[in-house]
Amino acid sequence: MSEKRVKFATKLGIVAAAAGSAVGLGNIWRFPSQTADGGGAIFIFVYVGCILFFGIPLMVSEFVVGRAAQANTAGAFHKLSPGTQWKWVGRLGVLTGFVIMGFYMVVCGWTLDYFFQSLSGNLHRVSDFTTNFNTLLSNPLRQILWMILFTGMTAFFILSGVKKGIEQSSKFLMPLLFLLLFILAIRSVLLEGSSQGLNFLFKPSMEHVKPTLFLDAMGQAFFSLSIGMGCMITYGSYFNSDINFTKTAVQVSLLDSMVAILAGVIIFPSAFALSTNAGTIVDELVAGGPGLLFITLPELFNQMPLSIVWATLFFCLLSVAALTSTISLMEVVTVYLNEEYRLSRRRSTLLTSFGVIILGVISSLSPPFFNMLDVASAKFMLPLGGLFISLFVGWYLDRKLVSAQLTNEGTLNYGVAFLKVYIFVLRYVAPAAILAIFIYGLVG
Ligand code: PHE
């Protein structure tokens, strides 16, 4: 089977696929609402620390496991450590992917809904965007239909060869999204009264700090980078032998963080500038919760000439970014069913979609259930998966194998010091930090 495994054709294709998985609603929808909730600049500071100290090393570790095993997430642990209990780490990853899809697809549905609202010009006519978003939230049927449509689209791309097409097109759609975000950020910063928003984002203040700050920021880092569940293991198994893991992980993380920060620079300055009630704006932002993106952004569009065009383009590109993430999530679950239970790819995909739709329906009907899936996956399951993956690569895997994967069989000149530091991080730093944050988050 391993010889037949499809490989990504070009190096750009690899970075594009991994970045496509990472960049999604996590950056543009979840990051701003978590930042609002977490008190602004301090949250971002801790978040960036998490990316550097365990995000990048863990992404590299997942690539190592995937390419060494040439198998799906669960199969990879089975193959590299036969007869041990490590296979549960893979299974946890598959379950996590499933749980994430159970609420993520609902937000993907909102994105599609907003895309059509923009296209039809309806969004342009709205005067109260909070009410407009709440109308959607209070209509489960509307949410469910969009969610099912998005799940169906994801399944379609998983099943048809067109998946290659989406990888190809995301190579040019992603930069376009980036450019659009950049333009919107400039527009937002130029609004009168935006500087308060920038201060909130970049000037640390202890005023709104919460005891769960570290857990929240760590969860966001895992979620945003798509690590801790084996997405990057699955993608690593498609990588060619000459791909430089460290470089790829750094590139993907940098891109991912830049998109998140840009989203912040769009949303906060405009939220502060356009608010009629500056005194309570931070409370409003926090209360806005998951709606932040869908409330503040349309307000910003309405300040711009040709708002229909901007809004339509934005929600279209956001849907594409979300799609490349849901494809990577569904791929993990589908390939697991396909390779471990010998179900056909078609059946695996249908079964996965069916399960996701059930979770999605419950999430659409019940905001507490939606929140529970979000919190359980981002703040517990992903970091737990990450903890075990770092222990697996740091302690269990043969060091020669790890160093061969990291240096591409010695063709990359990293030197001994680099490897030592890397193993040290995986053995001690990442596990200790993750555990400490867990304990502090639960007790604090
Ligand atoms: N990283 C994706 C995003 O930010 C979500 C995701 C999480 C995808 C975990 C795959 C695995 O939107």
Side-chain angles (χ1 to χ4, degrees):
M1 178 184 62
S2 54
E3 309 80 54
K4 276 196 262 130
R5 233 180 156 72
V6 207
K7 300 278 188 256
F8 286 119
T10 61
K11 289 197 183 172
L12 187 60
I14 287 161
V15 182
S21 168
V23 175
L25 295 170
N27 311 57
I28 297 168
W29 159 73
R30 199 174 187 279
F31 177 80
S33 68
Q34 290 284 314
T35 305
D37 197 39
I42 296 258
F43 177 87
I44 298 186
F45 188 73
V46 179
Y47 166 79
V48 171
C50 292
I51 300 268
L52 291 176
F53 285 104
F54 31 83
I56 295 174
L58 274 173
M59 190 183 290
V60 173
S61 308
E62 293 201 17
F63 291 158
V64 166
V65 172
R67 192 170 65 182
Q70 294 289 307
N72 73 81
T73 310
F77 287 92
H78 191 62
K79 242 175 157 171
L80 296 176
S81 56
T84 66
Q85 298 303 319
W86 284 107
K87 56 177 181 280
W88 288 100
V89 181
R91 291 179 181 164
L92 171 71
V94 173
L95 183 69
T96 311
F98 189 63
V99 170
I100 293 179
M101 280 189 279
F103 74 94
Y104 198 89
M105 285 295 182
V106 177
V107 187
C108 294
W110 298 347
T111 311
L112 273 190
D113 184 294
Y114 268 68
F115 169 61
F116 281 96
Q117 280 193 51
S118 329
L119 196 63
S120 64
N122 282 345
L123 195 61
H124 191 55
R125 287 187 280 274
V126 168
S127 54
D128 181 348
F129 290 98
T130 311
T131 311
N132 185 53
F133 182 65
N134 286 338
T135 312
L136 171 63
L137 284 195
S138 56
N139 187 341
L141 189 66
R142 187 168 138 201
Q143 293 183 71
I144 289 170
L145 289 177
W146 289 118
M147 179 273 297
I148 293 181
L149 182 64
F150 209 96
T151 311
M153 276 162 49
T154 310
F156 170 79
F157 282 107
I158 293 273
L159 278 178
S160 65
V162 191
K163 205 175 121 231
K164 286 236 164 45
I166 185 102
E167 257 147 38
Q168 292 297 327
S169 47
S170 74
K171 265 189 245 171
F172 107 94
L173 289 176
M174 283 277 223
L176 194 60
L177 174 67
F178 202 79
L179 182 70
L180 179 63
L181 291 176
F182 204 73
I183 296 173
L184 294 177
I186 293 176
R187 180 68 194 96
S188 175
V189 170
L190 290 179
L191 289 172
E192 204 176 318
S194 65
S195 58
Q196 267 183 310
L198 285 175
N199 278 344
F200 179 74
L201 259 187
F202 297 119
K203 207 165 136 201
S205 124
M206 295 305 280
E207 201 184 335
H208 302 283
V209 170
K210 291 188 174 167
T212 52
L213 168 71
F214 287 92
L215 187 58
D216 297 344
M218 173 169 77
Q220 177 58 26
F222 274 88
F223 189 87
S224 191
L225 292 182
S226 307
I227 53 173
M229 57 154 284
C231 245
M232 296 299 176
I233 293 183
T234 306
Y235 277 10
S237 77
Y238 302 139
F239 284 3
N240 282 317
S241 55
D242 63 342
I243 290 300
N244 181 335
F245 286 165
T246 314
K247 203 166 125 194
T248 308
V250 169
Q251 283 170 340
V252 171
S253 308
L254 201 67
L255 197 72
D256 190 69
S257 308
M258 280 189 334
V259 172
I261 304 270
L262 262 183
V265 175
I266 296 170
I267 289 191
F268 290 101
S270 35
F272 278 78
L274 303 174
S275 163
T276 42
N277 211 339
T280 57
I281 174 74
V282 175
D283 301 325
E284 266 176 47
L285 289 176
V286 174
L292 197 50
L293 174 71
F294 297 94
I295 296 168
T296 306
L297 221 70
E299 267 177 52
L300 175 67
F301 292 136
N302 261 11
Q303 304 289 316
M304 302 169 68
L306 298 176
S307 64
I308 298 187
V309 178
W310 293 111
T312 309
L313 189 61
F314 174 80
F315 286 110
C316 171
L317 292 175
L318 187 61
S319 305
V320 175
L323 189 64
T324 53
S325 299
T326 53
I327 289 176
S328 75
L329 284 160
M330 198 181 271
E331 179 86 6
V332 168
V333 184
T334 307
V335 177
Y336 167 73
L337 294 176
N338 174 227
E339 289 184 2
E340 299 299 303
Y341 292 94
R342 312 231 167 270
L343 291 180
S344 71
R345 234 182 120 74
R346 203 184 149 78
R347 277 206 164 175
S348 313
T349 312
L350 289 180
L351 202 65
T352 311
S353 309
F354 186 68
V356 167
I357 287 175
I358 292 186
L359 284 188
V361 167
I362 309 177
S363 298
S364 310
L365 292 169
S366 154
F369 185 77
F370 175 105
N371 271 338
M372 190 186 77
L373 296 188
D374 177 311
V375 170
S377 56
K379 293 180 194 169
F380 295 96
M381 298 170 87
L382 290 176
L384 199 64
L387 172 71
F388 285 121
I389 292 170
S390 71
L391 293 175
F392 182 72
V393 176
W395 293 94
Y396 182 85
L397 276 190
D398 180 24
R399 213 184 266 209
K400 285 206 198 78
L401 180 145
V402 176
S403 106
Q405 284 294 341
L406 273 178
T407 60
N408 292 347
E409 309 288 344
T411 53
L412 299 171
N413 271 330
Y414 275 133
V416 191
F418 172 83
L419 288 174
K420 280 205 168 133
V421 171
Y422 175 74
I423 295 283
F424 182 78
V425 168
L426 289 184
R427 284 195 156 187
Y428 305 102
V429 181
I434 296 174
L435 263 184
I437 292 178
F438 260 144
I439 295 170
Y440 184 74
L442 293 178
V443 181

